[in-house]
């Protein structure tokens, strides 16, 4: 049965042709049995049967045209006095088909014809000659009901199909939106991890390089200083590994974190330790906190730490020898202010113009992205009198 059902669904026109041939055969049998009284009726009944059989055969391929053909055949029957026969069942079929899949104008036309066909038939061929008008009205209603039911059934099926099509379209649209949102979330997470990795690698590796160069320089003349530099390299490397484990652990969805693998996110209180670490590399840094310290949102604290970290890293990379820096944290009523300055020669102009849009200033790009994510503002550029200045204002409340 399932194979038969699948075959019928795959070959709808073939099924319609089968029923058309069956209907034509029944019509032919009725003609042979002497249904019609006159020879002229029989002659006209042949093309009428052929036309109505064609309507059934092609009803799904061209429903609007087959409806017009059925109306034409009905007019021919009225004009040439060909009484309704078995082939007129095709008019019921085309009414249902047009109401289901036809154009709206064709559906309305089929409804009008369905309401008027029985009345026209009674006027042309009275069922019982000499019958009273209540009998005529009753017969007309009885003959009209099947056509109206066929149209209502087809129109209901059309509405149901349209509803399911709308549901499918909405589900497809929601699926596309969900995929787009997933891609945006993945891209944002990748950008966040890239910024974190850049800050960790750029700062800690630069500290390790400076300490390694210093240790190699004083290895023979000042072994104690070389030993201290190596210890700084060791502690900085451990810190970098711990932060990188934390970042890479974000990518291990579903895995249980190992004990001691992750460390907390850096906060404002660790900026002082960061400054002390930078001082060990030989860069003189003046650090001050103004205002009353108070708890801040975690995103603001991480942003403040990373901005100071990147700014001091840039000072070591671009400030030149004998450069000094200053770090100011200012607590306002509605935000946290950062001011990082140095008196070195400063970075090249293209590294901070438009956030390092030339691809060389990834640190500046990361700083602007971080500050923008918490709704803050950042200004970077050379300061009067030489050197470089980075100022940022981070609001205490998230944007929006």
């Amino acid at each position: 049965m399932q194979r038969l059902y699948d075959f019928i669904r795959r070959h709808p026109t073939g099924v319609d042709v089968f029923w058309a041939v069956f209907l034509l055969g029944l019509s032919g049998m009725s003609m042979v049995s002497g249904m019609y009284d006159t020879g002229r009726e029989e002659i006209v009944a042949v093309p009428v049967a052929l036309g109505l059989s064609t309507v059934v055969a092609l009803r799904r391929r061209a429903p609007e045209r087959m409806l017009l053909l059925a109306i034409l055949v009905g007019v021919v029957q009225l004009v040439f006095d060909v009484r309704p026969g078995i082939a007129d069942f095709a008019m019921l079929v085309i009414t249902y088909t047009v109401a289901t899949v036809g154009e709206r104008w064709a559906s309305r036309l089929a409804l009008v014809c369905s309401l008027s066909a029985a009345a026209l038939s009674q006027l042309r061929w009275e069922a019982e000659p000499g019958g009273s008008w209540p009998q005529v009205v009753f017969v007309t209603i009885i003959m009209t009901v099947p056509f109206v039911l066929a149209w209502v059934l087809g129109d209901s099926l059309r509405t149901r199909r349209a509803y399911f099509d709308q549901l499918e379209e909405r589900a497809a649209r929601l699926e596309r939106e969900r995929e787009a949102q997933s891609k945006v979330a993945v891209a944002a997470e990748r950008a966040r991890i890239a910024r974190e990795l850049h800050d960790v690698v750029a700062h800690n590796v630069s500290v390790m390089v400076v300490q390694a160069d210093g240790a190699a320089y004083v290895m023979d003349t000042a072994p104690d200083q070389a030993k201290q530099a190596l210890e700084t390299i060791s502690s900085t490397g451990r810190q970098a590994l711990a932060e990188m484990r934390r970042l890479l652990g974000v990518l291990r969805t579903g895995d249980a974190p190992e004990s001691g693998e992750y460390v907390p996110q850096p906060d404002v209180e660790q900026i002082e330790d960061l400054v002390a670490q930078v001082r060990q590399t030989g860069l003189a840094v003046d650090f001050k906190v103004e205002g009353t310290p108070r708890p801040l949102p975690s995103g603001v604290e991480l942003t403040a730490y990373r901005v100071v970290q990147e700014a001091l890293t840039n000072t070591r990379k671009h400030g030149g020898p004998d450069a000094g820096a200053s770090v100011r944290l200012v607590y306002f009523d509605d935000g946290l202010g950062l001011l990082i300055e140095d008196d070195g020669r400063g970075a090249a102009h293209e590294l901070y113009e438009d956030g390092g849009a030339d691809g060389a200033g990834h640190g500046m790009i990361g700083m602007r992205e971080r500050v923008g994510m918490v709704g803050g503002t950042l200004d970077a550029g050379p300061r009067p009198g030489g050197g470089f200045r980075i100022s940022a204002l981070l609001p205490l409340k998230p944007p929006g």
Side-chain angles (χ1 to χ4, degrees), residues 53 106 213 261:
S53 299
D213 290 342
E261 184 178 1

Side-chain angles (χ1 to χ4, degrees), residues 34 99 116 124 158 240 309 328:
S116 59
R124 188 70 171 88
R158 173 202 291 270
Q309 184 184 55
R328 298 288 184 273

